[in-house]
Amino acid sequence: MKARQFLVAASCVLVFLAGYAPGPAPGSEEIPEIVSLDGWDEAMTALRRSHWVLRGYYPENRKDSAGRTVGDDLDQYVLPENIVAHLEALRIQAQAQRDAGDQKGLEKTIGEARVILDGQMKQVFAVGSYWQALTLIELQRAAISPFAANATEADRAALAAFAGQIDQRLRESRASLLGSTDEGAMTKSLASMHSVVVDNAIHYGKQRGKWIAEQVKYDSDPNAAELARTAACGAPMRAEGESARARIKGGPDLEPFYPEDAKQEMFEGVVTVRADVDAQGCVQKVRISRTSGDPRLDAAALDWALQASMVPALIDGTPQASQLSFNVRFTLN
Amino acid sequence: MLLSTVAPANGGPLAPELQARIRSATFEVVLRKATSDPLSYERALPIELIPYQERIDKFHSVGTAFAIGNDRYVSAAHVMLLGVGSQFGAPMLRDSAGKVFALARVHAYSAHEDYMVFSLAEPASATTIQAGETPGVGEPVFAVGNALGEGIVIRDGLLTSLTPEPQEGRWNWLRFSAAASPGNSGGPLLDAGGRAVGIVIAANAVENLNYALPMQQVLKAGEGTASFDMRLPFSIPIVWQPAVVSITDSFKLPLDWEEFSRRYLELDLEHYRANRQALMASDPPFPGGASAKGLAIASRPKSPSLMAQDEERRWISQGGHSKESAELTGEGSVKLREFRNIGLFELEPGKQVGQPVVGETSPLLNPLLKVLNVQRPVGTQMVRVTSAGPSVTQDTVKDGHGRLWRRGAWPLGFTDVHILTMSLNTPRGEVGMVRIVPSRLRAVGEDEMSFLADFFQTPMQGNASQWKAFLERTPEGALPDGSVKMIFSAGKPFAFQGPSLTASIDPQLIEVNDESRLTLETLLVGDAGRARLDVTGIRLREQDEDDGTGLVLLRQPRPAPDSGKDMTQRWSQMLSRTKDFDGVERPEQGTDRYWFRTSIPAPPADASNWDPKILYEMWYEVDGMPLPREMKSRRSLLEKSIQVTESPR
């Protein structure tokens, strides 16, 4: 999985945030073709529904650093009162034109409404994208906070400075994205907002890994997650050459183990796993030796490790049970 | 068939001439059958299934009596009472030749010992049966009577034991093994010499050990008094625990039959009322004391209900369980629920709605018969009654709240019962109570229903045009004291002014049209130790449907501290307008409906001493696609439109 690929994907699915999205986001809703009054009404309904759907994603009173809620943004950018009044006036005019058989006039009015409605649909997408970006940034910040507490003053200051830059960049991309209806300008603003999110995720991923390496000792957590084998092993592995420990010979493809939500939230990490391997090379039990800082990645690493194939330890020509530790790395590039 | 000549197990048979003398001194007690039948049935009655004898008989044979001489006749009290308040008139005696004799006067009566001594208008018997002393246990005895309406038969057995009457052991019942059937009641129990030693009272259902009252009890008491001295269980439908009451009373005899009946029914009603009053005064009296807790329970029946005690003695609204429902032509319907033997009905006459129904009693029963399932036994078959004639009671009574009830009473003719109804007019039709009682208990039954009327609660529902018609024929308005004024008419804003709430709903919130539906919930509320009727709930819908754009306002009294966690938690949410009552607009999952719920009035700025006695719960729902800010502005408009006027403290 390449970061670049993800970025492309993210620009399409940005609002499909598993943790918050019970259904398709309004921005991705099929926009009806507005060629008739019916299509017009459907578009209005879709726009009105977007208020409820987007608000439903976020806890009530969830505010950004400027003190706004998603509802505030929607009220400001999607169907504000002047637009509603304008559209209603056009709607009455269109109805009259249709009743009067004024086809030409009707098409003109519908055309005018279509421009407005299309612009409003884009605003739904813009508001959704901003709140999505904000959420992704905050998730990274929340995940690092347990390690920031024990970090050096200098490291913390550096991270705060980075967060300030991210906030500034997010404000700038928000300002150019929201309220604009120019498609080209919007695409550019959206791309810059995505790069803010990605830069943030990469930086926080690295910082988190660094602090974990500094702060967390191997096998220091008595409550670390573990997983024991429940199914029988396959054919025994033949030992090859004297070795005090088992060795990893291979395992299933790691990609399918990478949790989808962690991927979409751009969480990367290295998990250290300790495995009990018996004399047949069968992995009996796996345990987190050092966390990645993300329980989803930790759990995925244990799942994978239990399916890894091992060559057993061989001491004085006799296969032996042994323990070994290894890293499972989840990375987007 | 049964032998009329018997060979006693011990001692000889009664001599034939003695038997003849006994037969001529023994009579059937009969009631005259109704001569015309106002009922209609689902099909022609298969009268050929009724045995010939019974079919051609102009009388119902109900028991036995016998002559004791000096123009005196004796029977069981419970047999003779079948003629008190009966739709079939006074009881009469019939001799073996089929001649019928009218009663003259009642000379002695004992309710607890279960006998009556009376005289006839003309002498009926040349012979009499002499009274005798109670024979020894094990002696032969003969039960004489009109067994199962077959005429007078004599059956033998032994006197098996003497059983003290259960209340105080005031006398001993004679227990005997001679066969006895229901029609035997009131007949003589004879000794081997043909002397009456007892009056047959009751058959024992499980074994052949029947009961008779010793004749000596009757002789000892003499004449001149009707006496009542018994303990009976007593209950009324709205009180959980039945009482045991003593009925001790008497009046002077002789009286002619009509006067006796009248006096008897008066006394019955007096005792019923006194017992009811005592039972209502027992703990906890309504609506004060511990019962106040029950009044605070938020039960909101969607159908007619009675305010009644539950098993924990709390007074709560109880609608009973659903019994039956039926469609009527013109999209009407009739529904019957039952609560402790009281039928609670809702009648929607459908297309005929709006016609004034008060004052026309007879049309009410016919639709009710669709759900009452009244069947006439004919031989081995049951035939359903489909309509009845006019009511024998056609009046209106006001209950304690001033509601005007229409009363109806229909005798069934083929059996001695009446169907009693009490009904109230509502916008959509009629609601009320129905029950079936023995004719003798008609006065008590009617009195009890009038009493229950004070505890009857009903939602009043109708669309705008039904309400318009209702208010035109009911000038006092939705509550009988005229305390509710309202406008509910197509094209006009809904306005309501009641004792505890004022509301004026802008058309942009709910636009009233002919199909808009209004339901007023009228319930008893506890107010300063009294119960009064109030509109405790308003449900307004833009369309005549259960969902869609609408407003619901529900009166919620402060729950008692021990009302349980659910109630107190809900109340504190209402007080603080949090959680379920936060007023935040929300979509209804899976629909295009949006709603909010809150409480009114709003808590004051300084809520530290905010402890109101009542609050109103308010729901508002919109079918369509409003924007959240539009819902907010509707909410603030609603809050300005509704004032709780009941003192909140």
Side-chain angles (χ1 to χ4, degrees), chain A residues 8-11 48-49 66 69 75 99 101 131-132 148-149 151 153 186 194 201 204-205 241 256 273 281 287 293 315:
Chain A
V8 172
S11 69
R48 286 172 168 271
R49 186 184 292 119
T69 65
D75 282 344
D99 293 349
W131 280 83
Q132 173 95 38
E153 196 68 43
M186 279 188 81
H194 288 166
Y204 271 78
V273 177
R287 184 181 168 85
I315 299 170

Side-chain angles (χ1 to χ4, degrees), chain B residues 366-408:
Chain B
N366 295 348
L368 275 184
L369 282 168
K370 285 188 185 292
V371 288
L372 281 175
N373 195 19
V374 175
Q375 303 207 39
R376 174 171 179 169
V378 182
T380 50
Q381 297 187 357
M382 300 297 279
V383 183
R384 190 170 176 140
V385 178
T386 53
S387 82
S391 168
V392 293
T393 297
Q394 293 201 26
D395 61 3
T396 52
V397 287
K398 274 195 175 166
D399 67 17
H401 311 291
R403 289 180 294 191
L404 191 67
W405 291 79
R406 194 148 63 85
R407 298 201 299 175

Side-chain angles (χ1 to χ4, degrees), chain A residues 96-310:
Chain A
Q97 286 163 331
R98 187 166 75 168
D99 293 349
D102 176 6
Q103 191 57 33
K104 244 181 133 176
L106 179 62
E107 276 169 24
K108 188 167 169 287
T109 308
I110 288 178
E112 196 179 331
R114 179 163 43 208
V115 172
I116 298 170
L117 290 165
D118 280 347
Q120 291 292 298
M121 288 293 177
K122 290 192 180 100
Q123 291 310 306
V124 174
F125 190 67
V127 170
S129 299
Y130 166 68
W131 280 83
Q132 173 95 38
L134 189 69
T135 303
L136 292 177
I137 289 166
E138 286 181 356
L139 283 171
Q140 294 286 351
R141 288 177 179 171
I144 208 168
S145 61
F147 307 104
N150 298 321
T152 63
E153 196 68 43
D155 273 2
R156 279 216 300 273
L159 189 66
F162 177 81
Q165 286 167 23
I166 290 289
D167 286 346
Q168 176 61 27
R169 287 172 62 194
L170 185 65
R171 272 196 297 278
E172 284 164 11
S173 55
R174 173 194 153 90
S176 62
L177 180 62
L178 270 66
S180 156
T181 52
D182 176 75
E183 194 145 0
M186 279 188 81
T187 307
K188 265 176 78 179
S189 315
L190 203 58
S192 81
M193 189 176 276
H194 288 166
S195 67
V196 176
V197 174
V198 172
D199 290 354
N200 183 73
I202 292 170
H203 187 87
Y204 271 78
K206 279 186 184 152
Q207 184 66 68
R208 199 169 57 241
K210 182 168 169 278
W211 279 347
I212 287 169
E214 286 168 8
Q215 296 172 19
V216 183
K217 291 196 170 66
Y218 292 113
D219 300 318
S220 61
D221 180 2
N223 300 316
E226 59 180 39
L227 202 59
R229 167 167 300 282
T230 52
C233 263
M237 269 296 185
R238 229 166 59 94
E240 298 164 357
E242 290 278 321
S243 167
R245 299 184 186 290
R247 286 166 291 150
I248 300 178
K249 192 168 165 74
D253 183 10
L254 185 58
E255 169 60 25
F257 288 81
Y258 202 152
E260 208 50 48
D261 51 352
K263 257 193 231 170
Q264 291 192 6
E265 291 165 18
M266 287 174 275
F267 272 83
E268 301 174 287
V270 178
V271 187
T272 306
V273 177
R274 194 147 59 90
D276 292 353
V277 183
D278 66 15
Q280 281 74 47
C282 180
V283 181
Q284 292 295 348
K285 199 169 94 179
V286 289
R287 184 181 168 85
I288 299 296
S289 174
R290 188 166 71 184
T291 180
S292 64
D294 184 333
R296 295 170 299 188
L297 299 185
D298 290 357
L302 290 183
D303 286 341
W304 182 87
L306 212 54
Q307 296 177 35
S309 49
M310 301 281 181

Side-chain angles (χ1 to χ4, degrees), chain A residues 48 51-52 55 60 79, chain B residues 585 594 625-627 629-630:
Chain A
R48 286 172 168 271
H51 274 256
W52 296 94
R55 281 158 51 113
E60 278 160 31
L79 292 182
Chain B
E585 58 286 350
Y594 298 84
M625 191 64 76
L627 291 171
R629 65 162 186 272
E630 292 165 352

Side-chain angles (χ1 to χ4, degrees), chain A residues 44-49 51-52 55 60 74-76 78-82 84 88, chain B residues 582 584-588 591-595 624-632:
Chain A
M44 272 306 273
T45 301
L47 284 169
R48 286 172 168 271
R49 186 184 292 119
H51 274 256
W52 296 94
R55 281 158 51 113
E60 278 160 31
L74 287 162
D75 282 344
Q76 185 177 350
V78 181
L79 292 182
E81 276 172 49
N82 61 327
V84 170
E88 275 171 6
Chain B
D582 62 6
V584 173
E585 58 286 350
R586 292 188 174 83
E588 177 74 27
T591 70
D592 268 351
R593 294 204 305 274
Y594 298 84
W595 57 273
M625 191 64 76
L627 291 171
R629 65 162 186 272
E630 292 165 352
M631 284 293 272
K632 278 196 179 69

